[in-house]
Amino acid sequence: MRRGRPAPVPLVEPLSYPGRPATAPSLLIGGELLPLHVRRMRLGDWYVERQARQESLDEALLGLGRAVTGHRHPVIAVGSNASPEQVRHKLTRLGVPATLPMVPVRVRGLVVGCSGHISSPGYVARAPYADPDGDTVLVVSWLDSAQLEAIDSTELANYRRAILPGDVFEMTMPSGERLGGAYIYFSAHGVLADPDGMPRPGGGDQSELLAALLAASPRLRELLGPDPAAWVRKAGADRALREEGTRIFGDEGWVLPQTDFLPYLDDGAELRLYDDLPPLGDSLPPRP
């Protein structure tokens, strides 16, 4: 997908979680990642160079037989869904073409923590929580309806989907556009707490996180130890061990419930499109 050593896929190599994120605006086309050239316009008017020609992103998507940006759903990635390799792996194994734009976006009001459960590959995934002082860059992917349904199938057992309003959670594109809103998955299990009772940061190395959890709990060491490699090997192979480990998180008093996103839950049948979410204020010049 990229030059140099291929980036690992966390679903295949759990200790590589969350994988290598998209660091610049890009168009993912299966195993290829093409740079997007930012313009002070809506996403579909940015341009991409493909097959020795320059065209707008929407023209490229149409040429590939895929939905244009306005008919896609913007989704904030907090964990491994920011990794093109992980997204490609998830979609292709479900028979869905992995063609989508991925853009780093500055998001205010959110911080990345750790979900209060053990995932099916064995890692402890990242999860968002609300914090008025939060200011971070997160990857937003524009998914078509089939892609969103496929990602839902990998997330909704342990996460819930909300649509965050841009006037509460400010989301600024590299173009200067302030998004009117975007979807996000938040953990149904809450987030893990540090020993001081505050949410544990979720931006670190997976091995370090698992080692810290093992050191803090004799029950976890007995169940999944002695080390992170053993943890992901055992947990990834046995659902009962994952569920018991998740119960231990709660028994240790490590889990903080998350209610801040509940007002924004998206349970409706009609999913919002990029076209349904016009930019806020005068963050972009008017269309000619």
Side-chain angles (χ1 to χ4, degrees), residues 50-68:
R50 188 175 68 91
Q51 297 179 343
R53 66 184 293 258
Q54 180 179 299
E55 56 191 348
S56 75
L57 174 56
D58 276 350
E59 288 172 339
L61 289 169
L62 281 173
L64 292 163
R66 315 310 305 165
V68 297

Side-chain angles (χ1 to χ4, degrees), residues 8-113:
V9 176
L11 282 172
V12 179
E13 301 178 43
L15 290 181
S16 72
Y17 181 90
R20 188 166 64 188
T23 57
S26 305
L27 173 62
L28 176 65
I29 306 176
E32 190 175 17
L33 198 64
L34 301 180
L36 287 177
H37 299 270
V38 178
R39 304 176 71 189
R40 286 276 295 164
M41 303 177 77
R42 292 276 271 177
L43 178 62
D45 292 318
W46 296 9
Y47 68 88
V48 61
E49 294 178 7
R50 188 175 68 91
Q51 297 179 343
R53 66 184 293 258
Q54 180 179 299
E55 56 191 348
S56 75
L57 174 56
D58 276 350
E59 288 172 339
L61 289 169
L62 281 173
L64 292 163
R66 315 310 305 165
V68 297
T69 55
H71 295 169
R72 290 171 174 265
H73 314 280
V75 182
I76 300 170
V78 173
S80 63
N81 288 340
S83 162
E85 289 79 13
Q86 180 88 327
V87 171
R88 185 191 67 82
H89 183 82
K90 283 186 175 184
L91 293 177
T92 54
R93 73 174 184 169
L94 293 171
V96 177
T99 300
L100 61 141
M102 304 181 76
V103 180
V105 173
R106 180 166 295 281
V107 182
R108 298 185 186 274
L110 288 183
V111 179
V112 178

